[in-house]
Amino acid sequence: MIWVARIFSTSIGKKQLMAVTGILFLVFLTTHLLGNLSIYGGIEAFNAYAEHLHALGKLLVVAEVGLVVALIIHVTLAIILFFENRKARPIKYAVDKSGGGGRTLSSQTMPFTGLLILAFVGLHLANLSHHIVDQTNRTIFQIAYEVFANKGILIFYLASMVVVGLHVRHGLWSAFQTIGANHPKYMPFIEWLSIFFAVIVAVGFGSLPLAILALK
Amino acid sequence: MSGKNINLTLKIWRQNSPEDRGRWEIFQAKDISTEASFLEMLDIVNEQLALAGKEPVAFDHDCREGICGTCGCAVNGRPHGPDRETTLCQLHMRRFQEGDTLVIEPYRARAFPVIKDLVVDRSAFDGVIQAGGFVSVNTGQAQDANNLPVPRDDAERAMDAAACIGCGACVAACPNAAAMLFVSAKVSHLAVLPQGRTEAARRALSMVAQMDAAGFGNCTNHKECEVECPKGISISNIARLNREFIKAGLASKE
Amino acid sequence: MQLDSKIPGGPLETKWDRHRFDLKLVNPANKRKFEIIVVGTGLAGGSASAALAELGYNVKTFCIQDTPRRAHSIAAQGGINAAKNYPNDGDSIWRLFYDTIKGGDFRAREGNVYRLAQVSNLIIDHCVALGLPFAREYGGLLANRSFGGAQVSRTFYARGQTGQQLLLCCYQGMMRQIAAGQITMFPRREMLELVTVNGQARGIVVRNLLTGEIERHAAHAVVLATGGYGNVFYLSTNGAGSNVSAAWKAYKKGAGFANPCYTQIHPTCIPVHGDYQSKLTLMSESLRNDGRVWVPKQAGDKRPPHEIPESERDYYLERIYPSFGNLAPRDISSRAAKLMCDQGKGVGSTGLAVYLDFADAIKRLGRKVIEERYGNLFQMYHKITDQDPYEVPMMIFPASHYTMGGLWVDYNLMSTIPGLFALGEANFSDHGANRLGASALMQGLADGYFVIPYTMGGYLGGTPLTEVNTSHPAFTEAEAAAKARTEKLLGIKGKRTAASFHRDLGNIMWEYCGMGRNDEGMKKALKLIADLRGDFWQNLLIPGTDKNFNQSLERAGRVADFLEFAELLVTDALARRESCGGHFNEAFQTEDHEPLRDDENMCHAAVWEYAGEGKDPIFNKEPLVFENVKLAVRSYK
């Protein structure tokens, strides 16, 4: 197993682990969004979705453990890469200017949007996770409504969804590039998908608290 | 070829030796013909400095026609200056306006320590090539050249990558000072040709290991390298390196 | 001076085979006991370093650049010749040999040139095996094109970057041997002295350009692959660092210098545009395959090109040389351009340019085809001149490009100093008085890959060599000489930079010993050079010290050598009482202004021997014997 450590301690190996775990989060985001869109079917549908999800039992635990492991890998590597990259340029340029067509707001802010997302995930779990919040006497809808009724939290949620969109905008195509999926025929599509998916995530998740508040 | 003359303010990084901390100096470049190249403009400034009893600004250069890869520094934050697919020696002063201020500084990367003024040590690149950027064939061993057909498109793609001049602009442009475009260009050049396949796995692994050891940063796909590469080398080569790396890491015996 | 060319006897075709058989071999286990110094990392030095290291010798390689991937071989655009005859168009080793001999105006050795043509094919094989991405046909096999003065398509190419790709092959081969411990690389080193012990070359003294330290390096043999001296003209297509210093130091230690007056002026360069100009850029000769060269028929016609009607244009190459037309060899095309400009028909703001027009080719083939063939060259031209060659004709003018003269070497590529070899452009051996297009790359690699590996063994295996290390008095002496010279240069503390002296020297050389030469001008040049050299040693200014990285000091040392060498070049040009190839003395020409050779009295290589400071060099000659070709008037009409 030495070879595994050797591969994943290289710069490309680390980046590829980032990419694979990132893609896992993208899949998670997709299912999470699809599930939560049940809110548009009304309160009953939303609560029913939550119950079905919990009924998965051990399968859900496996998914949760998987996500936590992926999160630990993604965050740990991000921190390592961040400091390695800072070290690689000890003296900064006096003028640091992009050539245009290169780095984007999204690509430049990845470490910071990542950190914000981490904070968001913490709050999100504290507010809504069935492991943390007592759900015996309340439906998931009631819990969510109470959370979003707090204006501060609502604004933080909405802002966080923009941040997630920003992170995904660079993360998606970048993950494909890093695992080597770049071909002149389909790379333009992946780049387009990055933007499209970013908008969907930001608008889709962002609309949920508003929909919940509107339903009461 | 009708030129005019312009006046510029140059803010140039001066550093006497690798150990020196370095400082900025300001010079006035007067009556510079817009037909002159950027390096010729530095020649003029240096001639004036020498006559004034000061040390000229050290900068690397040789062919002055954009192919040897010797020259290069950052001009207003852009390696090789503001023009696309242009080396510093091919940049002409007609690109600038009367009264412009140019901030001229060396490539900044831990793996490229400054030797003097604008001259940096890029020998880390040689180390990466030594790790596997070649085909292990001795002189005299080869068969007739036409015994091995290579699809034209493969040869063209190899040439696209092989056009790298090793100038280091990719490292200089990368916010992380990563050398992935350089390394991937060599890996790609040899990986798409049948001659290079034999050693492809070993090459990918050992060149990447050497790249890391030399202190370059990690690729985060900012694409700045592709934008600044004077030879227009595409980041699709980086993707190919990533593929070669997976193949080598998971499927080879290396 | 003994000049034994060591050309083996017998039929031309088997000379090299027999010679290889006669050469002594070094047993594989003994190779590692030998150290070889290679100076220069262009095609010749790079390939020699790699090939010798592959055999098991310990190679120490030196270059002035920061890495051995930058030497000016990299700038060669057009291609490399080989007698493969893949296009089935009548080529053969014999034809390549004959074309090269004829192209060189019958001033090269038959034996050397035949060997060059023989090994040309091996170069292509080897470089393809190393992964060089030569241009290919759709069937996957190698593409060829015709190039500069050849009537067969024998040129292999990698876009407009053939030199670059070949040099990278050498470089990668070297990197492999560095990793294997067979080559020790010394970049950013400048050779200051050659060290001889018992008359044999046994080492060099170099300056570490980064630290200023003087270093001694000993070896069993020394290989110089330090390129040509085209920068003696200041403005040339050579790289800024290209210089004559290493060869000049060898000359002063006793190596004969042959035919320095053979300098090639390349016809298709971007014209001079200002006195701050630092170099001239070559536009590949391949452009002449489709471009048509013309000037206005009327002298002094200053109309822009598109206003000059077809009937008032003189496509002079097509007119004078109907069978070769725009593809006439370099020396001929260059002189024709000069002639036109001398007659007042030159174009552009300086009147020192002719048009190279692609309008017809674009009409015939379409812009796309032209773009595919020459896109990068057109782009380069556009960048430099700010004019779009798709719209207006290019302006071109000849410029110093390559030097056929160099250190005299025998068939083994060894100079008159035993153990000192000279390869590539640094020697004089294969191109005679003029080099054909796409032949420089061929010669550099032939010397390095396929000649020196054999002849080096012959020398080391057949020569008694004593143990010599760097504490030998010869090294102490050489180091002291190098240091004294540097101190002398730094001690002048005058008022002019080396660059300005170099520019003046270039003006003298171009004016009086350039494309067209005459006795009066050359005699004047000798006086002007001596005066300039006197001024140099009185009035030179070098900022900084010798204790660190100092580009002004580097430049000063090289200019000092050029100032001495230039005199030898002019002396040789004066002594050659004929016109041939790159040497054109106006006193020797036909009625049509074609060069007039004197095969009876001048069919020799002129080899100059250093006689000491301030003394006239000693003239020696190696007669050229032609047993297989008939000396003919070189006609391209």
Side-chain angles (χ1 to χ4, degrees), chain A residues 64 123-135 140:
Chain A
E64 282 174 341
L123 182 76
H124 189 55
L125 291 177
N127 283 339
L128 292 165
S129 165
H130 66 117
H131 296 298
I132 295 169
V133 183
D134 177 29
Q135 303 195 343
I140 186 69

Side-chain angles (χ1 to χ4, degrees), chain C residues 117-404:
Chain C
Q118 271 177 311
V119 302
S120 67
N121 291 340
L122 300 176
I123 297 168
I124 305 300
D125 297 343
H126 184 51
C127 291
V128 165
L130 291 176
L132 195 153
F134 276 127
R136 286 173 185 270
E137 309 285 358
Y138 277 106
L141 302 185
L142 294 163
N144 288 104
R145 64 180 170 203
S146 95
F147 195 80
Q151 285 178 311
V152 290
S153 294
R154 63 160 73 101
T155 303
F156 296 78
Y157 60 100
R159 294 193 191 147
Q161 290 134 273
T162 319
Q164 179 202 23
Q165 293 309 310
L166 290 167
L167 186 63
L168 292 181
C169 272
C170 297
Y171 164 72
Q172 287 165 205
M174 283 182 70
M175 291 299 116
R176 174 173 161 239
Q177 294 304 323
I178 290 172
Q182 286 299 120
I183 296 179
T184 313
M185 186 66 219
F186 297 90
R188 293 203 198 261
R189 301 293 202 288
E190 178 144 35
M191 177 178 144
L192 297 181
E193 289 288 336
L194 175 74
V195 178
T196 55
V197 176
N198 304 330
Q200 293 164 327
R202 292 307 300 267
I204 57 173
V205 168
V206 300
R207 178 170 190 266
N208 180 329
L209 300 180
L210 291 177
T211 62
E213 255 172 281
I214 306 291
E215 302 170 352
R216 306 170 178 192
H217 296 275
H220 295 91
V222 176
V223 176
L224 294 189
T226 49
Y229 47 83
N231 270 346
V232 72
F233 292 101
Y234 182 70
L235 282 182
S236 83
T237 67
N238 285 189
S242 303
N243 66 77
V244 76
S245 292
W248 192 243
K249 300 291 160 47
Y251 166 76
K252 288 176 112 174
K253 273 277 157 76
F257 206 110
N259 301 333
C261 78
Y262 293 157
T263 55
Q264 182 168 76
I265 310 295
H266 196 290
T268 53
C269 300
I270 299 177
V272 181
H273 51 74
D275 59 5
Y276 48 81
Q277 193 158 356
S278 59
K279 88 154 272 155
L280 293 172
T281 303
L282 175 78
M283 289 279 100
S284 168
E285 190 163 27
S286 62
L287 290 170
R288 289 199 282 145
N289 286 347
D290 286 306
R292 298 178 71 194
V293 178
W294 65 275
V295 290
K297 276 188 180 157
Q298 192 62 43
D301 189 341
K302 287 286 159 205
R303 286 176 292 174
H306 62 272
E307 285 177 21
I308 302 178
E310 206 55 37
S311 60
E312 291 173 43
R313 299 178 177 188
D314 180 7
Y315 294 90
Y316 59 90
L317 285 177
E318 297 171 24
R319 173 172 58 81
I320 310 173
Y321 308 102
S323 71
F324 276 71
N326 294 299
L327 292 174
R330 290 177 176 175
D331 53 336
I332 289 178
S333 309
S334 294
R335 265 196 306 276
K338 180 178 189 290
L339 194 66
M340 292 301 131
C341 295
D342 288 350
Q343 292 171 0
K345 296 176 187 169
V347 298
S349 55
T350 57
L352 290 174
V354 298
Y355 290 125
L356 178 63
D357 199 335
F358 288 86
D360 285 348
I362 292 173
K363 217 180 287 168
R364 179 163 43 92
L365 302 163
R367 183 180 160 130
K368 201 173 167 304
V369 175
I370 296 298
E371 220 172 285
E372 269 171 24
R373 286 190 192 165
Y374 311 111
N376 60 334
L377 297 169
F378 276 40
Q379 188 199 16
M380 185 154 95
Y381 182 86
H382 196 159
K383 246 178 231 171
I384 294 173
T385 64
D386 205 23
Q387 289 189 334
D388 181 3
Y390 294 104
E391 302 296 330
V392 290
M394 281 186 181
M395 281 193 273
I396 54 166
F397 197 66
S400 162
H401 174 59
Y402 186 88
T403 55
M404 284 70 68

Side-chain angles (χ1 to χ4, degrees), chain C residues 564-587:
Chain C
E564 294 178 5
F565 168 76
E567 205 167 72
L568 186 72
L569 194 163
V570 180
T571 305
D572 183 48
L574 264 171
R576 186 156 285 280
R577 308 310 298 160
E578 63 169 351
S579 292
C580 63
H583 167 68
F584 188 78
N585 186 330
E586 286 153 8

